[in-house]
Amino acid sequence: MYSPETTKYLIHLTLQIEGVVDKPDVVGAIFGQTEGLLGEDLDLRDLQRTGRVGRIDVQITTKRGETKGEILISSSLDRAETALLASSLETIDRVGPCTAHVKVDRIEDIRVTKRRRIVERAKELLLEDFDEGAINSDDLLDEVREVIRIEKLEYLGDERVHAGPNVTASDAIILVEGRADVINLLRYGIKNAVAVEGTSIPRIIIELCSQKTATTLLDGDRGGELILRELLQVAEIDFVAYSPRGKSVEEMSRKEIVKALRNKVPVEVLTDQIPDEGAAERSPPSACPAPEEQPPEQQKGREENRKPPTTIGEHMADVRDRKIARFLSPDYTVLLESNAADVEGALQNLNGGVEGIVVDGTIDQRLLDQIGGKEIEFVAARDFKGIIKRPLSVRLMKIG
């Protein structure tokens, strides 16, 4: 019908003829009745020969002795020339022997139509093809940084365990479960982590623990608990840091990792996983010294200058020798403080949200069973007596 490469405008004309004619009759009438009408420069035959006007397309139907239809003529002339040409076509009054009526219906700007079509298609592409492939600068940076972190990984010992770049040079190490955990700690600038790689503890891990201050940071699930038990049996562990329940170290955010490491507890306060002979050989932790080891003036200063505790260790030190119990929130603020002898009654008045209990008193099996039913993460107490069955979800710590 017309060449889309050169066409600027498309003239739409309606045709009504009082009689029956064919397409060649209409085309002949157009050329015959417009010849010489607009001068040589706008002669329709010359315009079509030079490509400034396209082929004349006629679509007609005949019914009950009348012919109706549409004429389409493409133009690459300017706006004024196209309008002049279109208006000249309205002068056609006969087609063959029949009376005819030709009227310009509209002049379509092909470029506007194209632009509209381009915009609509662009909207479709934007919604359909870019929804999963949008470019995010942060994602690109993370991808590059991930390569750098992986390149920084080292392999230690004959077992080639994964480790951060500072493990060998550092005085302290953090024991995690696997390679992904080491990479996650590297992501937040912690470069002294080393992977245990399962429950079969590599010899290099045992050697490192004997030479450096070792802190465990294992997944908060059953697997993490089993690895911790084995580590405590075969390696010299100094501190234990705990992940949130049910969460793996590779999933932890920077804030969660920092909080877990800040609230690490000395291994001596764990009552259920340390062999008796190992506990006897270890000296009491400096963070929780026994009362008799503190000079009287130091104890007095502690009472007079007590600061708001922010860690488990600080709460343990703060309740010691005061015969009180504290019920702590997940951020270790005090939800309730009671007499150490009234822990059972205080439990009944709490409706959840308790992360742990620190009590300057003794916990027995009956009280521990009640605590186990409250979804409490840990209990730190002066002593545990008659404990036969420990709830797996509750960590037990002993106040020195």
Side-chain angles (χ1 to χ4, degrees), residues 182-196:
V182 175
I183 291 177
N184 195 36
L185 266 63
L186 276 176
R187 177 179 292 117
Y188 303 119
I190 302 173
K191 303 178 182 180
N192 62 333
V194 57
V196 175

Side-chain angles (χ1 to χ4, degrees), residues 29-92:
I30 292 173
F31 282 110
Q33 295 183 43
T34 60
E35 185 175 4
L37 185 62
L38 300 178
E40 294 182 1
D41 291 340
L42 291 178
D43 182 75
L44 187 57
R45 293 185 186 276
D46 291 338
L47 292 174
Q48 197 172 49
R49 189 181 304 113
T50 58
R52 301 178 69 191
V53 170
R55 183 170 64 89
I56 299 173
D57 184 67
V58 178
Q59 301 292 335
I60 56 175
T61 58
T62 301
K63 187 175 182 181
R64 296 180 181 178
E66 288 188 344
T67 304
K68 294 182 179 180
E70 181 182 28
I71 303 171
L72 299 176
I73 303 176
S74 59
S75 167
S76 61
L77 303 169
D78 61 26
R79 291 168 62 91
E81 292 172 332
T82 300
L84 190 60
L85 176 64
S87 64
S88 71
L89 297 173
E90 290 188 339
T91 63
I92 299 171

Side-chain angles (χ1 to χ4, degrees), residues 250-269:
E250 64 180 285
E251 299 172 342
M252 291 171 67
S253 65
R254 182 183 185 279
K255 183 177 180 180
E256 289 172 327
I257 291 172
V258 170
K259 179 180 177 181
L261 293 174
R262 185 190 66 191
N263 290 289
K264 65 185 179 182
V265 295
V267 74
E268 288 84 356
V269 305

